[in-house]
Amino acid sequence: MGVADLAAILSSFLYGVWTCNTYRTPLLFSSLACLLGCFMSAAAWAFSGHAGYGVLLLSRFFVGLGCYRSANRRYIADFVSRKSRTAASSAFVAASSAGGAAGPLFAAIVTRTRPATILGGVPWNGATGGLILLTGLWSIFIVAASIFFEDPLRRPAPMGMSHGEDIYSEDLSDTELVNPDISPGGASVNAPLLSKTQTSRSYRTLVVCIGALFVLKMNQQTLLSVLPLMGYDFYGWSLATIGIFLSALSFGMLAFNAGLAYMSKFISDLPILCSSQCSLLLGTVAVFPFSSHTPLALFIIGAIAVYGSTIVMEAVAMSILSKVIPRKLRRGTLNAGVIASLAGSLGRLVGNVSITALGTIFVSDGSLGLIRALFISMFGAAGLSLAVLVASYGHVRAAVSDRQP
C-alpha cells in the first residue's frame, strides 16, 4: 500500500507542473497509469514467488502514479468561483466516495463468481475480478475523455484577461488592503505592516488546513483498514458482508456531501470545519472497544460519524485552503491542489505505516490490542488537529475575511 502512496506524492508534483500548461494530456496519462495498474494487479496472480510480488509492487506504483487528485483540486481552486468552491469540493469528495463504495460492492459480487482464466492467462477470482472490471471501466473512461474533455486552458479567455484571471480577480491580491487610510493612488506607512500581517494569516491558515487534511486522511485510512478486522473478529461477518457494509458506508456519504453543499450557502466554512473535527473525536470514542468488543449499534453509529466527519473535513478544508492561498503559490507548481494532495497522501502513508508498525508491536495481544492502539492514535491525531484549529481560530477567520471580495 505504501508504494502507491509514495507514487501519489511524486505524481502530485508531476501534475502540478503539467497542469500549468494543459489538463487534457495529464488526465489521459493518469487514466492510462490507473488502467495499467489495475491490469497488472490482476495479472500478478499468474506469477509465483518474487516475480509475482514484483509485478504487484509495480502495479501499485502505477496506481499511485495515476492519482489525479491534485489536478482536480487545482481545477476547483482556479476555475470555480469563490462562492461555489465549497459545493464543488463537496461534489469532488462525493465522487470519490461513490468510487470507494463501488470497490467493496464489486468485491462482494465477484466473490460469488466461479474462478476462471481469461484474456490469455489472467486469472479471474474473488481477488482479481474487481480489478479486471476496473480495467474495463478505465478503458471506457479514456475513450470518453479523449473525445469529450475540453481543456480549460485551451478555451478562449475573457477579453483583456488571461486564463483564470476572471476567477482570481474575485480575491484580493496579496498586497491589496482593506484600509480607508490608503488613498487610491498613494501608499500608507502602515501598508507594508498590514500586508505582512495578512500574509502571515494566510500561511498560518494554510498550516491549519494542511494539518486537517493530513489527519483526516490518516484517520480515514486507518478506519477503513480496521473496520473489516472488527467486523470479522467481533461480529463474525463474512467477507461479502464486510464488503456490503463498506459499500453502504461510502454510498451513505453522498447524503453528507449533499447536505454540506446545501449548508455552505448559509454557513461559512470555518464553523463547519470545527463541528466536523468535534464529531470526529466523538465518533472515535464511540467505536473504541472499551470491553471485549464494541456493541454493534455503537460500532455502526461511530463508523458513520468518523467517516462522515472526514468527508466533510476534506471538502471544507480544501475550500478554505483555496480561498486563502497566496497568489504566488496559487499560480505556481506548489498550488492549492498539490498542497492538498500532498497532505492527504502523506496522511494515508502514515496511516498505512502505523497499521504495519502497531501490528508488529501488538502482535502478541491479538486483534483487540491492535484495534485499541489504532483508535488511540486516531484520537490523538484528531485531538491535536482540533487543538491547533481552536488556537488559530481567530487567525483563520481573519485570513478568510481578508480575502473576501
Side-chain angles (χ1 to χ4, degrees):
M1 296 294 290
V3 174
D5 295 326
L6 291 173
I9 293 172
L10 295 176
S11 69
S12 295
F13 289 105
L14 171 65
Y15 299 132
V17 175
W18 212 340
T19 51
C20 289
N21 300 307
T22 178
Y23 279 83
R24 178 184 173 84
T25 306
L27 172 64
L28 296 177
F29 174 83
S30 67
S31 302
L32 181 60
C34 288
L35 184 152
L36 290 175
C38 291
F39 181 78
M40 291 175 66
S41 293
W45 284 75
F47 296 87
S48 59
H50 294 293
Y53 186 67
V55 173
L56 185 61
L57 287 179
L58 187 60
S59 71
R60 296 299 302 167
F61 177 82
F62 275 110
V63 169
L65 188 63
C67 178
Y68 201 62
R69 285 187 295 266
S70 62
N72 289 329
R73 287 167 170 156
R74 182 178 191 177
Y75 182 92
I76 293 172
D78 287 0
F79 295 99
V80 176
S81 64
R82 180 189 178 95
K83 64 181 180 180
S84 302
R85 229 168 274 173
T86 302
S89 298
S90 179
F92 169 74
V93 177
S96 300
S97 298
L105 185 61
F106 282 166
I109 294 173
V110 299
T111 52
R112 300 178 180 275
T113 61
R114 293 182 178 180
T117 301
I118 63 174
L119 301 176
V122 178
W124 172 284
N125 52 47
T128 63
L131 294 167
I132 296 172
L133 290 176
L134 283 175
T135 302
L137 291 175
W138 275 118
S139 301
I140 296 172
F141 177 83
I142 291 174
V143 174
S146 62
I147 297 173
F148 299 109
F149 181 75
E150 182 181 359
D151 196 326
L153 297 180
R154 297 292 183 266
R155 300 171 188 162
M159 185 174 296
M161 290 186 177
S162 60
H163 287 288
E165 190 175 344
D166 53 327
I167 299 299
Y168 294 137
S169 63
E170 293 186 353
D171 302 324
L172 294 174
S173 67
D174 298 336
T175 58
E176 288 173 334
L177 304 171
V178 184
N179 190 337
D181 297 329
I182 299 178
S183 61
S188 168
V189 292
N190 294 326
L193 179 60
L194 291 174
S195 180
K196 184 177 180 180
T197 301
Q198 290 183 347
T199 303
S200 175
R201 288 171 183 162
S202 295
Y203 281 107
R204 185 164 181 171
T205 303
L206 281 181
V207 173
V208 172
C209 292
I210 290 170
L213 289 165
F214 174 88
V215 168
L216 76 88
K217 285 299 181 183
M218 172 188 167
N219 283 10
Q220 194 177 89
Q221 186 68 32
T222 304
L223 178 72
L224 294 178
S225 298
V226 78
L227 284 183
L229 181 61
M230 295 179 71
Y232 181 80
D233 285 358
F234 291 175
Y235 314 111
W237 289 357
S238 65
L239 293 177
T241 303
I242 292 172
I244 292 173
F245 174 74
L246 293 177
S247 180
L249 182 65
S250 296
F251 273 125
M253 295 305 105
L254 298 178
F256 276 74
N257 286 287
L260 175 60
Y262 179 76
M263 287 192 303
S264 65
K265 300 178 181 179
F266 310 101
I267 305 176
S268 60
D269 293 335
L270 193 52
I272 298 176
L273 181 61
C274 284
S275 300
S276 61
Q277 294 216 15
C278 292
S279 176
L280 175 60
L281 276 176
L282 294 176
T284 304
V285 173
V287 181
F288 188 87
F290 289 97
S291 59
S292 59
H293 70 278
T294 306
L296 180 59
L298 203 57
F299 167 77
I300 295 175
I301 294 172
I304 294 173
V306 172
Y307 197 46
S309 298
T310 61
I311 292 295
V312 173
M313 284 174 62
E314 182 174 4
V316 176
M318 177 59 210
S319 177
I320 295 175
L321 188 152
S322 70
K323 293 173 182 176
V324 302
I325 186 171
R327 179 173 295 190
K328 63 182 179 181
L329 291 180
R330 185 189 310 173
R331 292 185 169 181
T333 300
L334 200 62
N335 50 71
V338 172
I339 292 174
S341 295
L342 285 175
S345 297
L346 286 172
R348 275 187 294 272
L349 178 61
V350 171
N352 285 323
V353 171
S354 298
I355 293 170
T356 303
L358 292 175
T360 303
I361 295 172
F362 292 92
V363 63
S364 60
D365 297 330
S367 61
L368 183 60
L370 172 61
I371 291 169
R372 285 174 173 171
L374 289 173
F375 276 112
I376 289 173
S377 67
M378 289 172 60
F379 183 86
L384 179 61
S385 177
L386 179 60
V388 171
L389 176 59
V390 171
S392 305
Y393 191 93
H395 292 275
V396 176
R397 181 173 58 186
V400 175
S401 299
D402 289 341
R403 299 286 174 163
Q404 290 288 350

